[in-house]
Amino acid sequence: MRVALVGLGVVGRSFLELVAKNRGELVSRYGLGLRVVFAADRSGGIYRASGLSPDEILDAKREGGISRVANTRFYANVLDALQDFEADVLVDATPTNIVDGEPSYSIIRRAILREMDVVTVSKGALALYMPALKEMASRRNVLLKFSGTVGGGMPVLAFARECSRADRVEAIEGILNGTTNYILTKMEEEGLDFRQALAEAQRLGYAEADPSLDVKGLDTACKITILANEVLGMKANVHDVKVTGIENVSAEEVNRARYSGKAVRLVAFAGDGKIEVRPRELDVRDPLAVKMAMNAVRFKTTFSGSHVITGKGAGGTETATAIIRDITSIKIKRTEAGENA
Ligand code: HSE
């Protein structure tokens, strides 16, 4: 399967590392031979039809820029590149932008128009235009996968699909941002101040390229929007979410909650026609009161009660596993449909 990778930040690089490590297993378990034919970052993209090795891309990236990789065609503009060469899957690991969804929005659209299946871990384009993108993909028989946009490595969308199979999910509630959860836990348990805790979350690769998206609750708002569309069938975008971030949560508030058996957490909610994100005090025994960069999501169903999934919601390697999961599922679907993949 020929892969075009756009975005070489923490997640894009982790994806390449994972491809290098798991190559043998992907072939033996799924018959999935991945060939990365294109890799791009802000500086442009490089293409080689016979495939680029993950190591040569990562080495060049470390040593001054991907244009140093020999025997490749260089494109200054990713959209021109996607128009020019053939690939089976586009992997979009560009940073989330919720102002206009770019560059993800144009890149995904271009890939769909070229009939490439799409795996995205970027949240902006989906949070703004999910119904339109899904419809566009379905009209062109393109698979649009985005399991890494919510929950990092934790398969929350697949879990939700299972919960909905013979039942109906009525409401969703969850901790969907690793960075803010890490900050709140560090304030709670180690008395770190907000800035110190955020710096640690950035160093560990949890935070967005623009960490204000995390802190202001906007990353969480994108994720609950994606869940609300996918699981509750709402036609919502991120502007429909009432959002309050954690920037005004004080050390005193966190401590006060702690001494009364509570934990302050940034909680997202979708249901009863509304979507919101705000800091709330949870009972420490509530399964949603997870610690550090963990995520937790509760699906309230009509017949079978509530189901909770918890797992690592942020981190390069964790999110890269979601990309591989989506590519694997594309391979399975295309093979079942009798198409070459
Ligand atoms: N910045 C995000 C978080 C990354 O902290 O959860 C995963 O989407």
Side-chain angles (χ1 to χ4, degrees):
M1 190 184 271
R2 295 163 301 177
V3 174
L5 168 65
V6 183
L8 292 171
V10 176
V11 177
R13 294 198 305 271
S14 300
F15 167 69
L16 289 173
E17 283 161 10
L18 219 53
V19 169
K21 278 190 199 134
N22 288 352
R23 206 177 271 290
E25 195 177 337
L26 290 171
V27 172
S28 62
R29 281 177 67 186
Y30 305 105
L32 180 60
L34 286 184
R35 179 153 44 106
V36 179
V37 293
F38 179 72
D41 63 10
R42 279 174 213 280
S43 70
I46 48 171
Y47 174 81
R48 188 192 293 141
S50 59
L52 300 152
S53 88
D55 283 343
E56 66 182 336
I57 304 168
L58 293 168
D59 289 347
K61 176 89 185 155
R62 268 191 298 270
E63 287 159 15
I66 54 170
S67 61
R68 296 163 79 102
V69 179
N71 303 320
T72 58
R73 196 185 311 155
F74 182 79
Y75 292 90
N77 183 304
V78 170
L79 292 178
D80 292 344
L82 293 177
Q83 191 58 37
D84 202 34
F85 62 76
E86 301 274 324
D88 302 300
V89 182
L90 167 84
V91 174
D92 166 28
T94 59
T96 291
N97 160 1
I98 62 164
V99 177
D100 57 12
E102 296 294 359
S104 175
Y105 184 53
S106 297
I107 290 168
I108 292 175
R109 283 169 52 89
R110 178 62 53 92
I112 294 174
L113 289 172
R114 295 289 328 274
E115 297 183 353
M116 294 177 199
D117 291 326
V118 175
V119 174
T120 183
V121 290
S122 188
K123 289 149 274 193
L126 285 177
L128 289 164
Y129 311 113
M130 186 157 165
L133 284 174
K134 283 187 75 171
E135 196 191 316
M136 184 180 175
S138 126
R139 262 192 278 120
R140 301 231 161 207
N141 186 30
V142 161
L143 299 168
L144 172 60
K145 300 285 197 178
F146 42 88
S147 78
T149 57
V150 188
M154 164 173 98
V156 61
L157 290 166
F159 182 77
R161 272 191 287 278
E162 283 302 306
C163 293
S164 312
R165 204 182 276 274
D167 205 333
R168 196 161 60 88
V169 175
E170 293 178 354
I172 307 167
E173 198 176 27
I175 307 298
L176 296 171
N177 182 267
T179 302
T180 47
N181 213 63
Y182 183 86
I183 294 171
L184 292 169
T185 312
K186 285 284 185 175
M187 287 170 76
E188 182 180 281
E189 294 193 340
E190 294 173 28
L192 282 196
D193 75 26
F194 190 93
R195 294 278 140 217
Q196 280 174 303
L198 173 58
E200 276 196 23
Q202 285 178 289
R203 188 177 50 77
L204 292 166
Y206 301 148
E208 295 301 300
D210 170 5
S212 72
L213 289 176
D214 298 293
V215 170
K216 291 182 177 163
L218 296 167
D219 175 77
T220 306
C222 288
K223 291 166 175 166
I224 192 71
T225 302
I226 293 169
L227 281 171
N229 276 274
E230 189 67 1
V231 183
L232 301 179
M234 291 171 85
K235 299 261 184 257
N237 73 49
V238 69
H239 299 301
D240 298 316
V241 186
K242 194 167 167 234
V243 192
T244 310
I246 64 160
E247 62 272 54
N248 296 322
V249 174
S250 65
E252 292 72 37
E253 229 174 301
V254 169
N255 271 328
R256 216 177 23 247
R258 187 174 177 212
Y259 285 110
S260 53
K262 308 259 182 187
V264 179
R265 294 290 181 263
L266 185 64
V267 183
F269 175 86
D272 305 326
K274 71 171 182 193
I275 317 182
E276 66 170 30
V277 173
R278 66 184 167 91
R280 278 170 46 194
E281 288 189 5
L282 301 178
D283 191 291
V284 287
R285 288 162 304 188
D286 187 322
L288 292 192
V290 285
K291 297 189 174 194
M292 309 305 266
M294 296 290 279
N295 279 194
V297 190
R298 174 156 48 221
F299 294 102
K300 185 169 172 281
T301 69
T302 310
F303 303 112
S304 57
S306 290
H307 307 289
V308 178
I309 179 169
T310 66
K312 288 190 171 174
T317 309
E318 290 81 356
T319 309
T321 64
I323 299 179
I324 304 263
R325 187 162 64 226
D326 282 349
I327 294 179
T328 309
S329 106
I330 288 173
K331 164 76 185 170
I332 292 169
K333 284 220 170 82
R334 292 291 179 210
T335 307
E336 277 169 4
E339 297 165 31
N340 284 336

